[in-house]
Every structure is written in C-alpha cells, then in structure tokens.
Amino acid sequence: MASNNPGRPNFPGRPAASPFGAAPPQAANPFLPSPPVVRPDASGPRPPSNPAYPSTVPFPATGSESFRPAAQGRFNSPYAPPIGPPPTQVPPTSNYLQRFPTPQFPTTIQTTTVSGRPTGPPSFAPPPQTNEPTPIQPSYVASAAVPNFRPPPQAPSIPMVTTTQGYRTTPQVSPSPYFGRPISYAPPPPPMGVAGQHSRDSLQHPMSGPPVGNLQGLVEDFSSLSLGTVPGSLDPGLDFKALPRPLEGDVEPTSLSGSYPFNCHPRYLRLTTSGMPNSQSLVLRWHLPLGAVVCPLAESPEGEEVPIVNFASTGIIRCRRCRSYVNPYVTFSEGGRKWRCNICALLNDVPGDYFAHLDVNNRRVDMDQRPELTQGSVEFVAPTEYMVRPPMPPLYFFLIDVSVSAVRSGMLEVVAETIKSCLDNLLGFPRTQIGFITFDSTIHFYNMKSSLTQPQMMVVSDVEDIFLPLPDDLLVNLSESKTVVETFLDSLPGMFQDNTNVESAFGPALKAAFMVMNQLGGKLLIFQNTLPSLGVGRLRLRGDDPRIYGTDKEHLVRIADDAFYKQTAADLTKYQIAVNVYAFSDKYTDIASLGTLAKYTGGQVYYYPNFQIAVHKEKLKHELARDLTRETAWEAVMRIRCGKGVRFTSYHGNFMLRSTDLMALPAVDCDKAFAMQLCLEETLLTTQTVYFQVALLYTSSSGERRIRVHTAAVPVVNDLGEMYRQADTGAVVSLLCRLAIEKSLSSKLEDARSFILLRVVKALREYRNLYAVQHRLAGRLIYPDSLKYLPLYTLALCKSTPLRGGFSDAELDDRCAVGSTMMTLPVKKLLMLLYPSLLRVDEYLSKLPPRLTDLKEIGGRLPLTIDSLDSRGLYVYDDGFRFVIWIGKMVSPDISRSFNVDFTADPSKANLPLGDNEITKRLMSLLNKLRESDPSYYQLCHFVWQGQQPREGFYLLTNLLEDQMGATSSYADWIVQIHRQVQQNA
C-alpha cells in the first residue's frame, strides 16, 4: 500500500528530545461543554448604579481570549491557585475616558468589582472545597500587548497560568477593533434572576472582561482551538495533546433517531448533513459536499435483520406518479381507502387486498403486522413484471494468467487451491454455473462436461481472430460436474509448472470470456500477473515519468492507456457481467487500465505487489474465498429517489450509469458503497421534511427477484448553523474522498489536494462568520462539534496513497489500486484506512489471561505520532488492510525471548521468527480477533523493530500521519495553516 522512498527522510521532522523514550500521551478532549459557575451565596440584590459614572461607556473587547463556560468546581482545579476573597477597590479617580500613552499590562488577566453600576463580571466566591476536585481542560491563548490601549477598571487578580511541556501560556488582552470610538448608548443593568441571582445573560467567565449587553453572555455552541503565535516564534501556541482525534473510530449519526424513528439504519444511508437547506443561498454557503453515501447491502446490525415482504397477488404498493414504494412515512386517509405518498404527495388508491381500517389516530389497525409500515429497511419479493428475463443462476468464470511469472510466484497454486476449497460454499447451489480459461501467448479453453472423467483442454493460438471451439460446453453446472472441476483444479498448477512463456494475450482472452458469458452474465474473476503484450488491449510499459509531474499531462498515467478497456467494460455491464481484478506482479502492471474493467462493472481491484506464496498466501486465500462466498446481488439496478425540490446530480463509485439516475450493478455485495451529490431544484423549499428512498432491484442467489428499499427522512432547516451542527463527518469525508480521487484522474495531484483544503477552509470560514459578531474569536479556530475531526481526516486524505506527494512518494500502480479501492469502501472502512488504529499490547501479552473476549481489554487507541511509541512497549498498527507489529528495543525480556529478537546484533540483519510459546499465541489470538471484527480484507502482518531501517520508516514511521514527514505537514501545522486561511477575508 505504501512504497519505499529513498529520497525522503525516514523520520518525522517534528523535533522530539527523546522520540522513543516517552510514555504514550493521553489524548485530552477539549470539547466537553460545562455549565457556568454561579456564586452559591449570591442572594442579595445587585448594587444600584453609580450616578458618578458617565452615561457613555466604551466597549473594550478582548479579541483573542479563549472564552469557555467555566466547569463545575472551576476554582478547585489543580491548574489554578485558590482564590481568596476579593479586596475592596474603588473606581479610578482619573478621567474614565483618558488615554494612557504607556499602558502597563498585568501579567495575568484582572477584573475589578466596584460599587455602583457593574462594569465587570459578577464576582464569584469559590465553592466549598471537596475531596475530589473536578479538573478542567485549560485553554491556551497567547497574544501580544497592544500600545495605546486603556484597560477598563479591574478587579482582584485571578491568575490563570497553565503549563504544558515546559512552557507557560498566560492569557492576555488583545486589542479591540473599536478602541477610541465612544458609544452613545449605555446598556441597562441586566435583569435580576430568581432569588436575587444574576440572570443567565449576565453570567460570564471570570476573565472575560466587562459585559456588552446580552452578547457577552451568549453560550458558545461551538468548539474551538486557541492559537496564539508569538511574533518571531515558530511555536503555533497550540496544545498538541488537546487536538481532536477520532480514537473511538467512526460514530454513526443518531441525532434523528428520536424525531424520525422509522429511518433506516445509518449504515445503509448516511447524509452529509441531516439538516436539509431550505434555499439555494444556504447551499452556496455550505461549501462542503451536499449528498449521501449509500451501502444498500450492508451487513445488518445484530438483531435487526431486514424483513422480507411478499405481497403475492396484491402486487407491490407503489406511488402512481413517482414510483416510490410504500414506507412508514406514508399517511392513510378516507377510512383507509387512500394513501398519500410522502415523496411527491400524490393521493393513491389502496388496493382491496391491502385495505385495513384506521383507528382514532388514523393509523392502520394492522400496522404492527406490516413491516413495510414500521421498518425503514425492507425487502420486497418482486413479481414477474419486474423481470426482463428469468432470474439468472449465479455464474463464476475464472480468467487465469499462466505465464512463467504467475507459475513461479506461486499465484497459480494458491488460486487453484482456494477455488477448490470454496466449491461447496459457492452461492446458488444447485444452480451454480462455473467455467475456466487460462492464457499466456495462447488461449486455453476447458470442456468439463459431467460425462467426462477429466477435463479436455483446447488451445487457440490465433489471438487476432478469437473464437470459441466448443460454445456449449465451456460453462457447466457445478453440482453435475463437480468431480471434473476438482480434477482440473488439482492438475492446474502441474500443467504449467514448466511453462517459460513470458507473453500475455490478456485482451483476446477477455474477449473470449465475454463470448462465453454473455448469455447469462455473472462474475468474471481475472488473475493477471503479466502486462498485456499481445493482441487487442496490449499495453505499453509507460510506467511513471517524473518529468510530467506538475504539468497538464500528469493525470494521463492514472487513466486507461487504451480505449479498449472502457468499451469492453460497457459491453460487460450491458450483459450483466461484473469484473473483479486480482493483480500480481513485481513490475509495472498498469492497474489504471485493468482497473477500468472493475470501475464500470461494479467490481473491485485486489492488488498484491511482488506476490510471494510464503508471504501473501493467507491474504489471497481469505480475500478470494470471501469474494466467492459472500452474499451477492446479481443483475442489479439501483435508484435513489428524493422529495420535491431536491435532485441528485452526480454519482461516484464503481458502476455504469444507465440513465440520468439509474445505476447498473451487475453484481453488488456488502463491501460496496456509492456516493452521490444533490442540489435544490427550487429557490426555496416549502416543505418541512425531505424524504429519501433507496431502491435496489436484484436477483438473489436463490433465484428470487427482490427489491431492497431503505427510507429516511430529514428536517428542512433555514439556519446554516443547524446544517453544520447536523453534519456527518464520515459521510462528508467519504464523498470528499471520491471527489478528490476523481479530480486526480483529470488534473494534477496538487490540484486535488488544494481542492480538499479549499473546501474545508471555506466551510470553516463561513461557520466562523456566523459567530464573529456575538463572540470573541480572534486567536481561535472554531468549528461545530460534529466536524471536529474533519481537519484531521482531510490531512489524512491528502497524505493517502492516491493523493500524496509526487513521483517519488508512491508507485503508480499503488496509487491506482488504492484509489480504486477507496472509491468503493463503506464509510467505516474508509475512516479506518485514513486514521488507523495504534494499540499498545505488551501489557496484555504479559499479564492478562490468554483468552481475549473483548478488544476493550487491551486499552484505548493512541494518537498516530511518534511520541506515542515507547521503546519499552510493543504496538499493533492496523489500517484494515495490514498489521504492523512494532517492537521497542527495551521491551521486557519475556517478550523479546518469545520473539527470538536479538537487539545486540545489527537490526537490519536480524530476523523475527515466531516462537511457539504463550506470548506469541496471545498475539496471534489478538490479531485474529481484530481480523474477525471486519472480515472484508485480510490484514497482512509485518514485524518491525525499533531502529530497523528502512523497514521501520517504510511500514510505520511514514504512516504516523500526525507527524511531519518530508514536505508534508504535521497535524499542528495543518491546523495552523487552516486557521490562517480561514482568517483571511473572514
């Protein structure tokens, strides 16, 4: 997935005194809201206003303060010294509006309580001391002093000094943009609260400065990071440990579960925001992608299986106009004889066989017995009118490269062994069809009729004019010819063990496979080890040219080199043939061209660079077996409908668009997701709710035509802030990822990365403008809590294999293969790939019992930074596609003996065989448990020990995305970069 880059440093550039010696830091969460503290003894009335004060009071502001509602037990915090009773102070005797040419600023923020009209916040007495003080999350602010600034009357000194990693950060006052402009309006005293307490609007942070009407008392409903750079310093003034990190993984949105309980589960349908904008102006100010991510066959949550409904003679209930399916959001009227479509509002007749009376609440009396009226996801059995032809049987056809490189690498042996082991578990028994073609410079067909005792091989050497020698016997029923098929698979590796042919007639072999399959359709599995060199579809060894990077021709190496592949993919889709490509090679294979076949047929690409049977055998066996045995929807089409005024405009993923909104999917499974963007057709939406309905029409492996329907409803909002509060980071990142990868296929990589950054900057700038008047925002990057991980995920996206760097940062085939995979991944799997898991497991291996029942026993995930690595520990890095086991030099002797690691020898020459002992058994049990949690791919295991170069840098250090590596930004630098761009023209 990554490549070794000799021209790039193997260690992060972010300075660290002892990178391998520090214990892993605990990530702090600065986003926990806390209520303001009210003085417990504030029972008397507020003092009367002082007539000696002038009626015109200026509004001094502190633009870079980091205001946060004070946490309970604020003044019991170990981070702040105890505060004594406030001393009595009087107003200054000098002119209140006098300018001081040389102001003296205190080292800490101070406020003053005076008799008369209050000009500062109410003073607070500390609450009673408790044995368990509640810690607070400090906010870090640094700002320069401003000359010619007159401080307001001030109160007792309340120091707030926080220390982190050896430096002190003291909040200071920053200049007010309104200085020197006296205001002719003096705000009245805030109203009294109950029992003599101050009202909510008057409650302020003890160091927030004097009140300005009700604006100063607004509760901040956003999250923020304080940044305060000191002039001439490279320190961003940012607490690195307090940066938000998704250490809990993907969290599916549940904000609408109470308002819309009939919505389908988020793993089937996720919107980028659950607040649909009511106008075009809101859409233009949203800036992030507006759309949805759909995974129609996602594995259902435990205990929530999708119900199957068979209407039999009644026929499926659908709207006459928009053709939507009946769902929990339709309404019945006229005693149950009519139902109103929730998508287009048309009043439809209820068929007589479907009629039921209504109760006093206008609910059908049989609603509890109707899953389609109570479940957001349902599957209808389709009648014959939904069939263009009789349902096809599941068909598996294998196109296998048998050139010399395929034989010597061991690929042919593993493929034959795995297919044979899965014959009993192939879908659709006893209707399953199967067939084989092998090829090198010639094409080999196999007759496997059940009447034969062993298969017959027929060789066609004329690759320019391909034909089928036995058109009717190249596909056989597996249940009838199983013995012949097993005999063929047993003999296949030996048939070509002495083959020395280095050529590949892949294009002609692909045409032959199409000629065999076009009557039934099915799944075509291609095993390709050599660059196609003969006949139609032959490819050039174009490789990767460093001279084209940064030019307008850069993207050409990332798209198909021959139009043959896209045209063939269109033909395959037309005849319901899906293609999965398994590519194995230690040389350039042109994944950009081969992947086109999977892209337009609903398939996927599996890439095994430099395949070696000793290393990759288990990975290939697992992934091929899952491909052959997972539940699959055949000859499918999918459409997503939405309410009036909303329309989907673009679709992203692996499919062929048959019409403006109908996606053709010859085969689809639970590991495939699709994204789409939407827009408003009308200037202003007049409805209060927008409904979405996904319908997948497919043939099941049992030969039944079915329609899987997912329905969801979202509210229409007229507030941009509400759109951001209802945002779904996972869906936003998933859609943004697909848009960026597609952009890299038509422009430079730098343009794709800039596209991501610009979207995020514009969105955060727009969000900042919502609060720029009511709150002090200088020196702070603010964002909605729902998008607190968006900057990190976008950084990970820019550092991902398809988009990072340039010529020397990733192999071309790696870029194309990973990019093709990311275009199909569901949200949870994609986020795992972007921000992998890092676990410390040495304590578990040494102390806990050998049987692991819950992964939570191991401990929490760690930030992806070199500071998380301790030379005394053992860590597991998991991105969903591979494991990296990192072993520190000072790991306990028991563990080092278990792995036979000799750190006294040269690390580059050391080996790491797994011993047969209790510790290694626990480690293997842990890895298997992680694999079982998501079986879609098999994580290949790479062992790395501290100091082993270049292996350590290649597998782990370059993937610690929070650190600076080469020309890439660290997480802290990325936040600063976003903050600076957000502030421009804000």
Side-chain angles (χ1 to χ4, degrees):
M1 301 276 298
S3 60
N4 188 9
N5 177 16
R8 185 175 56 188
N10 287 324
F11 291 92
R14 197 167 65 83
S18 179
F20 298 102
Q26 299 297 322
N29 183 1
F31 306 103
L32 298 177
S34 54
V37 177
V38 180
R39 175 179 173 182
D41 59 345
S43 58
R46 303 182 67 174
S49 58
N50 192 340
Y53 270 67
S55 60
T56 301
V57 181
F59 283 63
T62 55
S64 62
E65 287 183 11
S66 180
F67 171 82
R68 292 176 184 268
Q72 292 183 0
R74 163 67 184 88
F75 299 111
N76 291 337
S77 168
Y79 296 98
I83 302 172
T88 304
Q89 298 194 15
V90 296
T93 57
S94 59
N95 185 356
Y96 185 77
L97 298 178
Q98 175 185 356
R99 291 176 179 262
F100 293 90
T102 309
Q104 299 297 322
F105 286 88
T107 58
T108 57
I109 303 274
Q110 298 180 351
T111 56
T112 303
T113 303
V114 296
S115 60
R117 183 189 300 270
T119 60
S123 57
F124 297 95
Q129 297 289 335
T130 60
N131 294 330
E132 297 182 357
T134 303
I136 66 163
Q137 315 240 339
S139 174
Y140 299 89
V141 183
S143 54
V146 182
N148 300 325
F149 178 76
R150 177 194 49 75
Q154 303 192 344
S157 173
I158 304 178
M160 178 182 178
V161 181
T162 56
T163 303
T164 173
Q165 297 184 353
Y167 66 87
R168 295 164 62 89
T169 306
T170 304
Q172 295 182 355
V173 177
S174 64
S176 168
Y178 306 107
F179 178 77
R181 295 177 56 187
I183 307 301
S184 59
Y185 168 74
M192 291 289 293
V194 181
Q197 296 184 355
H198 297 292
S199 70
R200 178 186 180 91
D201 289 337
S202 67
L203 295 180
Q204 299 180 34
H205 192 280
M207 293 176 287
S208 62
V212 183
N214 291 339
L215 297 182
Q216 295 296 317
L218 291 178
V219 177
E220 293 184 348
D221 56 353
F222 53 81
S223 301
S224 66
L225 286 173
S226 297
L227 298 92
T229 56
V230 178
S233 172
L234 297 178
D235 184 1
L238 187 66
D239 182 13
F240 189 73
K241 294 182 180 180
L243 293 175
R245 297 175 175 91
L247 301 182
E248 300 299 325
D250 176 41
V251 179
E252 294 171 339
T254 57
S255 58
L256 298 182
S257 58
S259 305
Y260 300 94
F262 298 126
N263 278 6
C264 64
H265 196 278
R267 66 179 55 185
Y268 301 117
L269 172 64
R270 293 175 70 163
L271 296 168
T272 55
T273 176
S274 296
M276 192 56 50
N278 73 333
S279 65
Q280 293 283 5
S281 61
L282 282 185
V283 175
L284 294 177
R285 295 170 61 195
W286 166 246
H287 295 298
L288 294 174
L290 183 63
V293 181
V294 176
C295 189
L297 289 179
E299 295 179 345
S300 57
E302 187 174 355
E304 299 181 24
E305 287 72 19
V306 177
I308 299 175
V309 177
N310 191 347
F311 284 109
S313 59
T314 304
I316 298 179
I317 311 300
R318 301 181 66 180
C319 176
R320 297 195 317 271
R321 180 164 62 193
C322 69
R323 306 303 293 161
S324 296
Y325 297 87
V326 66
N327 61 81
Y329 293 107
V330 304
T331 56
F332 291 86
S333 60
E334 299 186 18
R337 293 186 295 273
K338 300 281 187 181
W339 67 275
R340 187 174 298 279
C341 174
N342 58 304
I343 301 290
C344 70
L346 180 68
L347 200 61
N348 297 269
D349 294 326
V350 175
D353 294 342
Y354 194 66
F355 173 80
H357 292 285
L358 305 183
D359 60 14
V360 294
N361 297 319
N362 283 333
R363 296 173 69 253
R364 288 173 59 107
V365 295
D366 64 344
M367 178 172 287
D368 294 337
Q369 288 76 44
R370 294 287 186 179
E372 70 275 12
L373 300 179
T374 57
Q375 302 287 332
S377 297
V378 70
E379 201 158 90
F380 298 113
V381 177
T384 55
E385 56 261 31
Y386 289 82
M387 304 178 191
V388 178
R389 61 178 183 178
M392 57 167 279
L395 189 155
Y396 297 90
F397 199 87
F398 301 91
L399 188 61
I400 307 174
D401 183 356
V402 292
S403 61
V404 59
S405 59
V407 176
R408 290 180 179 176
S409 68
M411 178 271 286
L412 188 61
E413 176 185 343
V414 177
V415 168
E417 177 185 336
T418 306
I419 296 174
K420 181 183 176 182
S421 67
C422 295
L423 292 179
D424 291 334
N425 298 318
L426 292 183
L427 304 173
F429 181 85
R431 304 164 59 245
T432 311
Q433 302 284 309
I434 196 169
F436 296 85
I437 287 179
T438 58
F439 64 95
D440 43 27
S441 62
T442 58
I443 302 173
H444 320 127
F445 298 88
Y446 299 91
N447 179 9
M448 301 183 188
K449 290 177 59 176
S450 58
S451 58
L452 300 175
T453 56
Q454 60 182 8
Q456 294 178 346
M457 183 173 74
M458 295 151 286
V459 179
V460 174
S461 57
D462 185 1
V463 297
E464 299 297 336
D465 185 16
I466 197 68
F467 66 95
L468 300 182
L470 286 175
D472 298 329
D473 297 325
L474 300 177
L475 280 176
V476 296
N477 184 285
L478 178 60
S479 62
E480 298 173 357
S481 302
K482 182 180 177 182
T483 303
V484 183
V485 172
E486 289 179 336
T487 302
F488 165 74
L489 293 172
D490 287 335
S491 60
L492 181 58
M495 290 166 59
F496 297 97
Q497 63 181 355
D498 298 325
N499 190 8
T500 58
N501 199 320
V502 297
E503 301 293 343
S504 171
F506 172 71
L510 181 62
K511 291 183 64 177
F514 171 70
M515 296 167 67
V516 175
M517 300 178 67
N518 60 12
Q519 296 299 317
L520 291 177
K523 183 181 288 188
L524 173 61
L525 292 91
I526 297 173
F527 301 88
Q528 172 70 15
N529 201 282
T530 307
L531 187 71
S533 58
L534 295 177
V536 64
R538 58 181 173 271
L539 297 170
R540 299 177 293 128
L541 189 60
R542 52 179 177 164
D544 217 354
D545 187 354
R547 296 171 298 180
I548 67 173
Y549 277 83
T551 70
D552 294 336
K553 297 182 179 180
E554 175 186 325
H555 69 279
L556 296 178
V557 296
R558 296 190 288 271
I559 60 177
D561 190 30
D562 192 332
F564 163 79
Y565 290 94
K566 186 172 182 179
Q567 181 58 50
T568 302
D571 295 337
L572 291 166
T573 302
K574 181 178 179 181
Y575 289 92
Q576 303 294 344
I577 300 172
V579 177
N580 284 355
V581 178
Y582 291 78
F584 316 81
S585 182
D586 55 352
K587 300 177 182 178
Y588 177 65
T589 316
D590 202 346
I591 298 295
S593 297
L594 298 179
T596 305
L597 298 171
K599 178 179 180 179
Y600 293 106
T601 62
Q604 64 189 102
V605 175
Y606 297 88
Y607 183 46
Y608 306 85
N610 195 22
F611 181 85
Q612 299 176 19
I613 188 171
V615 177
H616 300 90
K617 179 179 179 179
E618 292 302 321
K619 180 176 178 64
L620 175 57
K621 286 183 63 176
H622 174 92
E623 292 174 354
L624 177 55
R626 180 171 175 83
D627 188 12
L628 295 175
T629 58
R630 65 187 168 193
E631 186 58 48
T632 301
W634 308 88
E635 50 182 352
V637 291
M638 185 173 73
R639 176 178 276 127
I640 178 168
R641 297 177 174 88
C642 46
K644 183 181 179 182
V646 182
R647 176 174 59 89
F648 284 98
T649 57
S650 63
Y651 300 82
H652 311 275
N654 287 5
F655 57 86
M656 180 71 78
L657 203 59
R658 185 172 295 179
S659 63
T660 56
D661 62 345
L662 186 65
M663 303 165 63
L665 303 166
V668 63
D669 52 69
C670 60
D671 297 328
K672 303 288 193 309
F674 310 90
M676 51 279 297
Q677 291 191 95
L678 59 84
C679 70
L680 300 188
E681 289 186 303
E682 301 176 356
T683 305
L684 190 66
L685 292 184
T686 57
T687 59
Q688 299 299 315
T689 305
V690 172
Y691 299 92
F692 297 91
Q693 189 175 82
V694 179
L696 179 75
L697 173 63
Y698 72 97
T699 300
S700 68
S701 298
S702 60
E704 199 171 39
R705 200 71 172 150
R706 292 182 179 177
I707 308 168
R708 177 167 287 204
V709 177
H710 304 293
T711 307
V714 295
V716 176
V717 300
N718 57 7
D719 177 23
L720 184 63
E722 187 63 24
M723 285 185 65
Y724 281 106
R725 283 188 288 273
Q726 296 291 341
D728 179 358
T729 299
V732 169
V733 171
S734 186
L735 187 48
L736 199 60
C737 169
R738 287 163 167 83
L739 293 174
I741 292 176
E742 288 183 351
K743 190 172 185 65
S744 73
L745 303 181
S746 59
S747 58
K748 296 178 290 187
L749 292 174
E750 181 61 34
D751 293 340
R753 295 191 294 267
S754 299
F755 164 79
I756 297 172
L757 178 60
L758 186 62
R759 285 291 191 102
V760 175
V761 167
K762 285 184 176 181
L764 294 182
R765 181 185 299 160
E766 194 72 49
Y767 186 76
R768 180 187 184 88
N769 291 339
L770 295 177
Y771 300 95
V773 177
Q774 298 94 333
H775 299 276
R776 302 182 179 96
L777 303 180
R780 287 197 291 170
L781 175 66
I782 74 164
Y783 45 84
D785 190 69
S786 60
L787 295 176
K788 61 187 176 184
Y789 302 135
L790 182 61
L792 179 56
Y793 278 128
T794 52
L795 173 64
L797 191 53
C798 290
K799 288 187 174 185
S800 64
T801 303
L803 300 177
R804 70 185 178 200
F807 166 77
S808 60
D809 292 283
E811 296 288 343
L812 180 57
D813 279 341
D814 278 340
R815 286 192 193 276
C816 297
V818 178
S820 175
T821 299
M822 292 172 68
M823 290 292 291
T824 66
L825 290 180
V827 173
K828 183 177 182 179
K829 189 73 175 178
L830 177 63
L831 297 186
M832 181 70 171
L833 175 61
L834 291 177
Y835 195 86
S837 167
L838 181 64
L839 302 172
R840 183 169 182 173
V841 299
D842 52 288
E843 183 177 351
Y844 159 74
L845 297 179
S846 302
K847 299 179 181 179
L848 292 182
R851 182 171 180 82
L852 181 65
T853 58
D854 190 351
L855 291 175
K856 295 181 180 179
E857 298 175 8
I858 304 171
R861 295 168 59 177
L862 300 174
L864 292 180
T865 172
I866 200 170
D867 292 340
S868 297
L869 300 179
D870 187 346
S871 59
R872 298 165 294 183
L874 186 147
Y875 297 82
V876 176
Y877 170 93
D878 175 18
D879 65 3
F881 291 82
R882 62 180 171 183
F883 291 136
V884 179
I885 313 298
W886 187 88
I887 306 174
K889 285 185 176 180
M890 298 175 63
V891 72
S892 70
D894 292 340
I895 294 179
S896 61
R897 284 194 300 267
S898 300
F899 291 105
N900 298 327
V901 181
D902 183 9
F903 288 109
T904 61
D906 183 359
S908 62
K909 299 180 180 179
N911 56 10
L912 193 66
L914 286 177
D916 185 13
N917 54 69
E918 192 62 35
I919 288 182
T920 57
K921 288 179 181 179
R922 291 182 186 180
L923 179 60
M924 291 300 105
S925 173
L926 167 62
L927 299 183
N928 289 333
K929 194 77 174 179
L930 292 172
R931 290 184 178 118
E932 291 171 3
S933 65
D934 183 4
S936 55
Y937 291 87
Y938 183 89
Q939 294 98 321
L940 201 61
C941 193
H942 304 278
F943 284 90
V944 174
W945 47 98
Q946 182 181 350
Q948 182 193 15
Q949 296 298 334
R951 187 178 178 90
E952 181 187 29
F954 177 76
Y955 282 114
L956 183 64
L957 299 184
T958 56
N959 294 304
L960 297 178
L961 62 90
E962 293 191 30
D963 292 328
Q964 180 180 355
M965 181 61 60
T968 62
S969 299
S970 67
Y971 186 15
D973 293 338
W974 181 255
I975 290 291
V976 173
Q977 181 181 359
I978 290 177
H979 175 60
R980 288 172 178 169
Q981 295 193 30
V982 166
Q983 284 186 314
Q984 295 175 3
N985 302 322

